[in-house]
Structure formats: C-alpha cells, structure tokens
Amino acid sequence: MKKDTLKEQLQRTTRRDLWLTVAPAALLIGIAFAVTFYFVKPAPPMKLVLATPQDEGGFRYFAKKYQESLARHGVKVEIQQTKGSLSSVELLSEDTEQADVAFVQSGTAGGEKAAHIVSLGSLSYVPLWVFYRGEPIDDVRGLTGRRIAIGGAESGTHALARTLLSVSGVDKAPTELLPLERDAAIEQLKKGQLDAVFLVSPAEAPAIQKLAAEPGVRLLSFTRGEAYVRRYPYLSRLVLPRGVFNLAADIPAHDVVLLAPTANLVAKDSLHPALAYLLMRTASEIHGSAGLLDRSGEFPAPLETGFPLSSEARRYYDAGIPLLQRYLPFWAANLVDRLWVMLVPIIAVVVPLGRAVPALYLWRVRSRIFRWYARLKEIELQLEENPGREMLEDMMKRLEEAERAVNRIPVPLAYAENLYFFREHIDVVRRRLTRRLSGAPDSRELVVTQVTAS
C-alpha cells in the first residue's frame, strides 16, 4: 500500500513539474505564433469577376480563354459584360465586388475614378481600323464633312476616335459623328449609308478581314502615324504587310500604316498578389504566341497604358514567375508563401525553448535535493569547530533527519542518481561524526561537496 502511495506521489509531483515547466513555454510559443499570424497574408479568394466590353478589341474571346485557364487552377472567373472600356473602368473603380479585374483599351483613363486601379500589363496590339468609301485619302483630315461611325459612347473606340478627329480638326460640323456599335456600323458602311467607320479590333478578327475585302471599301493608311505616336505614347505605329490577309487576292493591295492602342489587363490595387501573379502567368500563356502584328514573346509587356504598373507586375516582368508557382500547384504555392513567416517564431522561440525546457525541468527536480546541501554544509562547518559530545549527538540527529527527508523526496527514475550522490555525501559526514563520538582520532578528512547543476 505504501509503495502505491509513493508511486502516486511521484506521479503527481512529476506532472506538477511538467506543468510548471511546459505551461509557460507553451504560453510563450502560443503568443509568438498569434503575433506572427497577424502578419500572415490572407488566403486569396477563389473567385474573380472579370469586366470585359462586349464588342471591343476581341476582349470577349480572351475572357473565355482566361475563364478556362484559371479554372484549371481552381479559380472561378465570372465574366461581367460592359458597354466599353470606359464602363469597365467605372465598374472597377467602385467600392463594390462587381469587378476585380478588367480588359481595357490603352488611353482609356478614368481620371479620379482610376485612382485605385493598377495595370498588370499590355496583352496585345488592337489596331485602329478606319474603313471608308470614296477617293483615296492618307489621313483622317480627308474625312471632313462625312458621316462617320465612331463606336458606342462608352467604348474605347469612341474615345480614341474623338481624340484623333479632334486633334486633326475633323470633329466639328459639317462632319457628323455617330455613336454606332460595331455590327450596325459595318452593316451601314457596306450599304453605303455611312462614309467611314472606326473600329478597334485584332488583325485576326474575321470581321476586319472580310471588310478589307469588301468592294468599294478602302482601308486608311496613316501617313502621319509617327506624329500621332509622338503625341500619344499609348499608341504604336504598325505596318500591315501587303497581302497578309489574302495572298492569292493580294489583300490588302499595299502596305498599310496603322495606329494601335493595346489591350490591357487592369485590376483594383487591392487585388491579392497571388491572383495578380496567376493572371500574369495566364496572360503569358494566352498572349505569348506570334500573331499577324505581334512577335512571339512580345506580350504581355509593361507598356504605357494610362494606369500605373502594379508592384507585382513590375517584379513579374523583371524576374518572371515566382519560384513557388514554377514548381508547385497554385494552392500549394500560395499556402507555402503564406505560412513561411511562421518560421520566425519556430526559429526565434520554439528552438531555444526546446533546449531550455528540459534544462529547466532538470533544475526543478534537482533543486529539491540540492537545497539540503546547505544543511549538510552547516554540519560540516560546525564539525571543524571541535564541538562537544552533546553537540556532536545533535549534529548526528540533524544529519539523520536530513537523510530521511531526502529519501522521502519523489524523484523520477531518470534523475535518481542525484539522490544517491547526496546519500554518499551524507555517509562521508556521518563517518566523521561517528569517529568523533567514538573518540577515535579524526583524520580531518575534508569533504568537498560538489553541487552539479548542469
């Protein structure tokens, strides 16, 4: 029964020592992780709303491609149709969840509304095509006094046409500017109800190639293209080679100088960095191949868009895809990127505590024995003062009480050696006391009590 009682006492003491040692360390680790977790980046949303104009720049086609590509990474893309680039910018500038990213045409600045919009880069050239009827002309100045369709009022085509016609002095009466949508404008031009139409579209668009082959319809070549580019940096001067649409029919019949804004991917400045990198990676896959006017690898690119380039885009164009996204799936790369900061408390707190806690526990166990060395040292010092027999008997009594007290200390078996070391030291002092009490000569054996608290 007594053994069970001692065993239970030992278990209780061991548990108490463990709690008193481990609990403060666990609390400190918990606080360190809680503080660090405050700085952990939130997980990216797995849904994006992409605003795209319906009939502008081939954006609708690209929106489908992005939707399919991002779905393979577990990100759902909801396509929000807008009336044009201006509408997309307005939608993106609102403090709502109606749009996260958008396709817009370069030069479509939103003024104060675009204060929190950043560019992720240019995706491709989307040339301005000016088709007209009548005698050949070499500049938009030749359209003075004619009926011209310049695209819907909220479209990038409308804004660009207004800019070029205004700077050339063609936007005033008797010139008639009509805000017609693309399909209606093309149909009226074919029927002769319009004199000219402004379109912004990729060279690969079937509607453009068909209109270039339409009898009686001409394609304007901007002979002053370089001058426009110098005035408006978001435009590029391109040359459409002779016969590129149809070599057999030689369409177009001569080289054509085009002015081309770019299709751009813009986003709210609050877009999660992981999604920004994923979008640019997707852009590289979709827009990186060669086209009729683009060279392989030319896009995406950090060209002038009218919006500031985001910090993620700047790093992407300087260094490429982030290391983790090169070798890990999107979800895994994002998880590692978010949690690497947790290494800080592990290195700064957990590792040192991993070494300190066992030492602290050992100190607590040994301290219950080591405090009795003061009693032992006191007896030993009194023995050097040549005490009388009565004093020697009292010292022996105190020594035996110390031995009994130490024997009752519950000590885990792993640390029992400290108990036996103390008992050996007691035996050394007892032998000296016994010799003094028996009257035998004292060899004045010095007992050096070593307290090892390692």
Side-chain angles (χ1 to χ4, degrees):
M1 183 69 180
K2 188 175 181 180
K3 289 184 179 179
D4 293 338
T5 302
L6 291 174
K7 181 178 180 181
E8 291 173 359
Q9 185 181 6
L10 176 60
Q11 290 175 345
R12 286 196 300 271
T13 304
T14 302
R15 285 195 295 268
R16 184 175 65 252
D17 286 338
L18 284 174
W19 273 109
L20 291 175
T21 305
V22 175
L27 179 62
L28 185 59
I29 292 173
I31 293 173
F33 272 95
V35 172
T36 306
F37 191 76
Y38 177 79
F39 296 98
V40 174
K41 292 180 289 187
M46 302 308 286
K47 176 185 174 182
L48 275 177
V49 180
L50 172 61
T52 180
Q54 298 183 32
D55 300 316
E56 184 180 318
F59 291 142
R60 184 166 51 181
Y61 167 79
F62 288 126
K64 293 291 185 181
K65 299 286 286 184
Y66 276 74
Q67 190 177 50
E68 295 170 1
S69 180
L70 292 176
R72 292 194 291 270
H73 296 282
V75 179
K76 180 181 178 182
V77 176
E78 179 182 321
I79 299 175
Q80 179 70 44
Q81 299 282 357
T82 66
K83 296 180 179 179
S85 291
L86 287 174
S87 297
S88 297
V89 170
E90 290 180 2
L91 197 64
L92 205 60
S93 65
E94 296 176 359
D95 294 330
T96 63
E97 297 182 356
Q98 294 187 62
D100 301 300
V101 292
F103 290 133
V104 299
Q105 181 181 303
S106 61
T108 309
E112 294 182 358
K113 296 180 179 179
H116 298 289
I117 299 177
V118 293
S119 170
L120 299 182
S122 300
L123 307 177
S124 64
Y125 293 120
V126 279
L128 171 66
W129 310 87
V130 181
F131 291 99
Y132 66 96
R133 288 183 173 277
E135 295 299 318
I137 58 176
D138 60 3
D139 192 75
V140 293
R141 292 181 302 171
L143 298 176
T144 302
R146 303 197 186 186
R147 288 169 52 84
I148 308 171
I150 58 173
E154 298 182 50
S155 67
T157 304
H158 186 97
L160 178 58
R162 278 280 187 182
T163 298
L164 298 183
L165 292 171
S166 175
V167 75
S168 301
V170 190
D171 60 333
K172 299 178 177 61
T175 305
E176 187 176 355
L177 305 181
L178 305 173
L180 297 177
E181 299 296 341
R182 182 186 63 181
D183 293 342
I186 292 176
E187 190 63 29
Q188 290 189 31
L189 181 67
K190 289 179 179 180
K191 295 178 179 179
Q193 297 173 355
L194 288 175
D195 297 309
V197 60
F198 281 64
L199 303 172
V200 173
S201 183
E204 292 79 9
I208 297 298
Q209 298 188 19
K210 290 179 181 178
L211 198 54
E214 184 73 19
V217 174
R218 302 179 186 275
L219 176 59
L220 177 64
S221 180
F222 287 86
T223 57
R224 298 193 301 169
E226 191 62 35
Y228 287 109
V229 170
R230 297 295 180 89
R231 291 286 300 272
Y232 304 101
Y234 58 85
L235 295 176
S236 298
R237 179 183 181 276
L238 303 177
V239 176
L240 184 72
R242 175 180 177 176
V244 71
F245 285 158
N246 191 324
L247 288 171
D250 196 25
I251 301 173
H254 54 82
D255 289 351
V256 178
V257 177
L258 301 174
L259 295 178
T262 53
N264 306 283
L265 183 61
V266 298
K268 290 183 176 179
D269 58 5
S270 59
L271 181 70
H272 195 285
L275 287 176
Y277 283 120
L278 182 60
L279 282 165
M280 288 181 287
R281 178 181 175 182
T282 302
S284 296
E285 296 171 356
I286 295 175
H287 304 281
S289 57
L292 290 180
L293 298 173
D294 309 335
R295 295 187 301 273
S296 179
E298 186 175 359
F299 289 101
L303 303 181
E304 173 63 39
T305 63
F307 300 95
L309 195 65
S310 74
S311 57
E312 291 82 14
R314 198 177 305 280
R315 286 193 291 270
Y316 178 82
Y317 294 117
D318 289 340
I321 301 172
L323 181 64
L324 292 176
Q325 289 195 24
R326 295 180 190 177
Y327 302 105
L328 296 176
F330 174 69
W331 67 268
N334 176 64
L335 181 63
V336 174
D337 183 58
R338 292 175 58 231
L339 298 184
W340 72 267
V341 71
M342 302 305 287
L343 291 175
V344 173
I346 292 176
I347 295 174
V349 178
V350 176
V351 173
L353 285 178
R355 299 172 62 89
V357 167
L360 181 61
Y361 178 74
L362 175 60
W363 177 83
R364 286 193 57 82
V365 173
R366 288 181 173 179
S367 65
R368 289 197 294 270
I369 299 174
F370 289 167
R371 68 171 63 105
W372 288 96
Y373 273 97
R375 178 77 60 89
L376 189 60
K377 188 64 177 178
E378 179 186 1
I379 294 173
E380 195 174 21
L381 291 174
Q382 291 175 352
L383 190 60
E384 295 297 323
E385 298 175 356
N386 296 318
R389 185 174 183 81
E390 184 178 351
M391 186 65 175
L392 289 173
E393 290 176 350
D394 181 68
M395 292 165 62
M396 181 66 77
K397 182 179 179 181
R398 283 186 287 143
L399 189 66
E400 291 174 351
E401 288 176 353
E403 183 177 21
R404 286 195 298 271
V406 170
N407 286 336
R408 288 196 296 269
I409 295 176
V411 178
L413 293 178
Y415 305 101
E417 60 181 12
N418 299 279
L419 181 61
Y420 289 103
F421 286 154
F422 183 75
R423 293 174 63 179
E424 289 179 3
H425 297 155
I426 288 178
D427 286 341
V428 172
V429 178
R430 181 185 286 115
R431 284 196 296 271
R432 290 189 65 189
L433 284 172
T434 301
R435 281 196 296 272
R436 289 287 188 91
L437 287 170
S438 65
D442 188 357
S443 61
R444 304 189 64 81
E445 176 184 7
L446 277 180
V447 177
V448 179
T449 306
Q450 299 177 345
V451 180
T452 55
S454 59

